[in-house]
Amino acid sequence: MLVFAVVATIAGPTRAETVTPGTEPFRDMSLEDLLSVEVYTVAALTRLTALESPAAITTITAEDIRLTPARNLNDLIEVYVPGALWMNQETGPVLGMRGNISSRNHRYLLLVDGRAMNNKSFAGASPELEMWDLGDIERIEVVRGPGSVTYGPGAVAGIISITTRKPGAAVGTTASVGYVDPYDSRSLTLSHQMKADAFALFAHASIVDTKGEEARTFQIDSSNHGGFVGRDYLPGSEALDYYGDFDDDPQLKLHVRLDFANDWQWWTRYTQQGSYWFSNEIKTDFGGELVNQQGTSSRQVTTAVQHDVIISDTLSLSAMLSFDSYDFERRRDRAYDPDRHSPLNYQVRFAEDEVLAHGVLEWQAAEWAQVALGAEWAHDRFGPGWGDDEREMRQGESGEIINGADSLALSPGNRNSADRQAPAWPAIDVGDGWDTNTTSVFVEANLAIVAGHKLLLSGRADQSTYQDWLYSPRAAWIWTLTEGHVLKLIAQRASRMNTASQMYANDWQDLHNRPEELDSLELRYSAQSSPALGFDLSLFHNESGVIAFQGADNSNRQVGDLELNGMEAEVYYAGERGSAGMSFSWVELQDWKLAPGVFSS
C-alpha cells in the first residue's frame, strides 16, 4: 500500500509545553514520586494513580497514531489493544473485545472529550470509528471490559474515550495533503492554534475523498452465486467499491475548541462519514446505471460548554451542558423502486437530537476519603432526517416506525414494515417524531482506611421513559504490594438498555423492556519497574445476558446467556527514543444458552 503525505507548518513566535508521561517534567521524577501522582482516569470518578485504575486501559497517543498506518479507529484499536478485533457486518464494521461482539456496536460507549457520542436508536458507537482523519486527537483511552458504572448504560464491553488536542499546546498553523493507494483516497487537513491572555483556541478541519478499491475477481448475486468481473454468467456487472465513500460524499470533520476564563471550555464538532464494506457483492442496477447501494451514512454535530471550578480546598465541581444532533441512513441491499433516491430504497432514515446536562461534585471528606456525587439528564427527540420530509422517516429494526398513513417509506396499501417478503412488524405511526428522557445518578467513594490498601465503592442508576431503573454497582479492592506493584480485585455489574427504537416498539406492543446485564469478576496485577517499563496481567470471568438482532422477527432482543473466562498479559516500554510492546489475549467460551423462544443466533 502506498501512502503519500506532505505536511507544512507555520509556527507562531512561542510554543507551549505539553505535559505527557514519559516527557518533562515526569522524566526527572523518581519512580516513587511518579507512582504517587494521582490523576483522573476514564475508569473512575475520583483520583487514583495510574497503577491503581480499576480497569484494563490501553492508551494510544498522538505519536502512536502518527506511526501506525491505520485507516481509522477500528484499525488503530486492533493494532494496540490486546485481543481487540473488528469484523464487517451488514450495518458496517463491528468491534469486539474480550469475547464481546454483536451485530452492531451497541456494547461500547464512544466518548469525545467526556461526551458520549453513541447513536441511541440504531447504530450504537459507530460515529468516529470510520473517520480516516485522526489528526485532531491527542490520545485515545480504551477500557477493556465493563464501564457502565462510570459513564452509563451501554458500556458493558468497553469504552473508547477520545481526547482532542488542547488549545495553546502548540501555536501556529499546520496544513497537510495526503494520498493513499489502492483506495484512491485523497485528503486535505488544516489545523490552527493560538493563545492569548484571555483564551486559547484550537481549530481543525479536514476533507477525505475516497473512491475505494475496485474488486476485480469475485462477486456474488442475491442467490450467493460466485463469478468474475467481466466473465462467467454476470457480464457487465460490477462489485461494490470497498471502502468507497457513501454516495460519493467525502468524509468531513470540523472541530473547534475554545478555553477561556481559566476554567471554561466550549467546543463544537461536526463529522460526516459513510462507506461501503462489501467488495464481494455486486452493485445495484437502476435502469442500466450500476450504483453502490449497500451502505450507511451518518452526520453528527455536537456542541458543549464545560466548566470546572474549585469551590474550596475540599470541594470541586465539574459541569457540562451539551446539544447533539445525529442524522443516519441505511440503504437497502437491492432496489425496491426504480428511483434510487426513493424512500422505499432505505432500510432506516432518521435523525435524533439530544440535550444533555451533566454534573459531578467531588469532596475530599477526609485525608483518607474522597467522595464523588453526580447526576445526568438527557432529553432525546427522534424524527425525520436533516432536511427530509417527515413522510420519509423510517426507524426501527425493520423500519416499522414511520410518520403515518401517508408515509412515503411504505409501498401503497402495505401497512407492514421493512421487507415486503417477510413482514414482521405492523407499522407504528408517530407523526413528526417521538421523545424520551433519561435520568441518571451516580456515586463513588474512594477509601484509604489502611496503609497500602484502598477500597473503591461505586454505583450508578439509570432510568428512561421506556426502561425501568438499571443499576451498575462496582467494588474494587486495591492493594499496593510494594513500590510499583499493585494487585486489584474488581467485581461489578454493567447494564445497557436496548436500542431506543426497539424499546419504543416493545412499549407500543405492551411488551416489557428487558435490559442487558453483564456481571464481571477480574483479578488484575499491574507493575511499573521504571518510568518506561511496565507489565499488566488480568484474569476475568464474565456472565452476560445478550441482546442482539433476531432475524426470526426482525427484532433486537435478548437471545441468550453467555459465560466466558479470559486472560490478558502485556508488557510495554516507552523510552526517549521509541517504544515497544507485546500482548497476549485468551478468551474461552464456558457456556451459551439460547433464550426461551429463540432457536438460533
Side-chain angles (χ1 to χ4, degrees), residues 20 59-66 76 80 137-140:
T20 305
T59 300
I60 304 169
T61 66
E63 182 69 3
D64 295 329
I65 296 172
R66 188 182 67 83
L76 201 64
Y80 286 109
I137 298 176
E138 180 65 31
R139 68 180 183 276
I140 304 164

Side-chain angles (χ1 to χ4, degrees), residues 37-50 52-54 57 149-151 314 316 360-366 368-374 442-448 454-459 474 476 478:
V37 175
E38 289 189 337
V39 296
Y40 291 100
T41 80
V42 293
L45 298 173
T46 55
R47 294 184 303 275
L48 296 163
T49 68
E52 293 172 340
S53 183
I57 302 174
V149 68
T150 307
Y151 289 104
T314 61
S316 62
V360 180
L361 187 68
E362 187 183 2
W363 177 38
Q364 186 73 45
W368 51 270
Q370 299 177 48
V371 178
L373 298 169
F442 40 94
V443 62
E444 182 170 283
N446 184 342
L447 309 175
K454 286 185 178 180
L455 180 62
L456 194 70
L457 300 174
S458 313
R474 178 180 64 190
I478 304 167

Side-chain angles (χ1 to χ4, degrees), residues 208-212 243-251 274-276:
V208 182
D209 181 72
T210 305
K211 300 303 180 185
Y243 261 79
D245 291 329
F246 182 88
D247 259 358
D248 294 325
D249 291 331
Q251 290 188 359
S275 61
Y276 306 97

Side-chain angles (χ1 to χ4, degrees), residues 550 552-553 557-559 594-600:
Q550 176 62 17
D553 58 2
R557 61 188 175 99
Q558 196 148 23
V559 296
L594 290 173
V598 178
F599 304 104
S600 66

Side-chain angles (χ1 to χ4, degrees), residues 3-7 176-180 187:
V3 179
F4 172 75
V6 176
V7 181
S176 66
V177 295
Y179 177 76
V180 179
S187 63

Side-chain angles (χ1 to χ4, degrees), residues 59 89 102 161 189 200 220 317 451 525:
T59 300
Q89 232 281 338
S102 186
S161 178
T189 304
I220 60 175
L317 174 67
Y525 168 68

Side-chain angles (χ1 to χ4, degrees), residues 39 92 96 136 249 262 360 508 518 546:
V39 296
D136 61 317
D249 291 331
N262 296 323
V360 180
W508 184 81
L518 182 145
V546 178

Side-chain angles (χ1 to χ4, degrees), residues 120-379:
K120 289 185 175 181
S121 181
F122 190 84
S126 63
E128 305 280 344
L129 289 178
E130 294 180 69
M131 299 296 296
W132 285 49
D133 170 35
L134 305 175
D136 61 317
I137 298 176
E138 180 65 31
R139 68 180 183 276
I140 304 164
E141 293 159 295
V142 181
V143 175
R144 310 189 301 273
S148 295
V149 68
T150 307
Y151 289 104
V156 295
I159 296 170
I160 305 163
S161 178
I162 297 172
T163 300
T164 58
R165 288 160 61 182
K166 184 178 180 181
V171 176
T173 301
T174 299
S176 66
V177 295
Y179 177 76
V180 179
D181 179 79
Y183 301 103
D184 193 13
S185 178
R186 301 168 175 83
S187 63
L188 172 64
T189 304
L190 297 171
S191 293
H192 178 71
Q193 294 198 61
M194 62 180 297
K195 190 173 184 180
D197 293 337
F199 69 91
L201 174 71
F202 168 67
H204 180 91
S206 68
I207 180 171
V208 182
D209 181 72
T210 305
K211 300 303 180 185
E213 181 181 10
E214 295 184 2
R216 304 302 303 166
T217 55
F218 178 69
Q219 60 191 12
I220 60 175
D221 64 8
S222 59
S223 299
N224 289 333
H225 296 133
F228 293 88
V229 174
R231 304 208 319 257
D232 294 336
Y233 67 97
L234 291 173
S237 61
E238 296 179 4
L240 298 179
D241 298 316
Y242 184 59
Y243 261 79
D245 291 329
F246 182 88
D247 259 358
D248 294 325
D249 291 331
Q251 290 188 359
L252 301 176
K253 178 185 285 188
L254 174 65
H255 184 89
V256 179
R257 172 175 162 176
L258 182 68
D259 289 4
F260 60 99
N262 296 323
D263 299 316
W264 288 86
Q265 298 174 17
W266 167 81
W267 58 270
T268 292
R269 186 177 186 86
Y270 173 80
T271 58
Q272 173 180 294
Q273 65 175 26
S275 61
Y276 306 97
W277 319 280
F278 291 115
S279 61
N280 64 334
E281 296 189 16
I282 60 174
K283 296 179 180 179
T284 303
D285 187 351
F286 285 95
E289 180 187 5
L290 298 178
V291 177
N292 281 322
Q293 176 72 4
Q294 302 180 57
T296 63
S297 175
S298 67
R299 294 176 292 170
Q300 185 171 22
V301 60
T302 308
T303 187
V305 176
Q306 296 171 275
H307 183 43
D308 300 313
V309 58
I310 298 175
I311 301 173
S312 69
D313 292 340
T314 61
L315 205 61
S316 62
L317 174 67
S318 177
M320 176 176 64
L321 180 63
S322 175
F323 172 77
D324 175 84
S325 185
Y326 186 98
D327 178 83
F328 182 84
E329 57 186 46
R330 177 193 171 193
R331 293 270 183 80
R332 297 222 198 170
D333 58 0
R334 55 189 180 274
Y336 284 80
D337 189 276
D339 178 6
R340 58 174 295 199
H341 298 293
S342 167
L344 293 175
N345 292 326
Y346 288 83
Q347 180 79 21
V348 289
R349 192 179 188 184
F350 68 93
E352 60 181 61
D353 300 332
E354 181 178 77
V355 176
L356 174 71
H358 173 94
V360 180
L361 187 68
E362 187 183 2
W363 177 38
Q364 186 73 45
E367 185 176 347
W368 51 270
Q370 299 177 48
V371 178
L373 298 169
E376 187 174 282
W377 176 82
H379 175 79

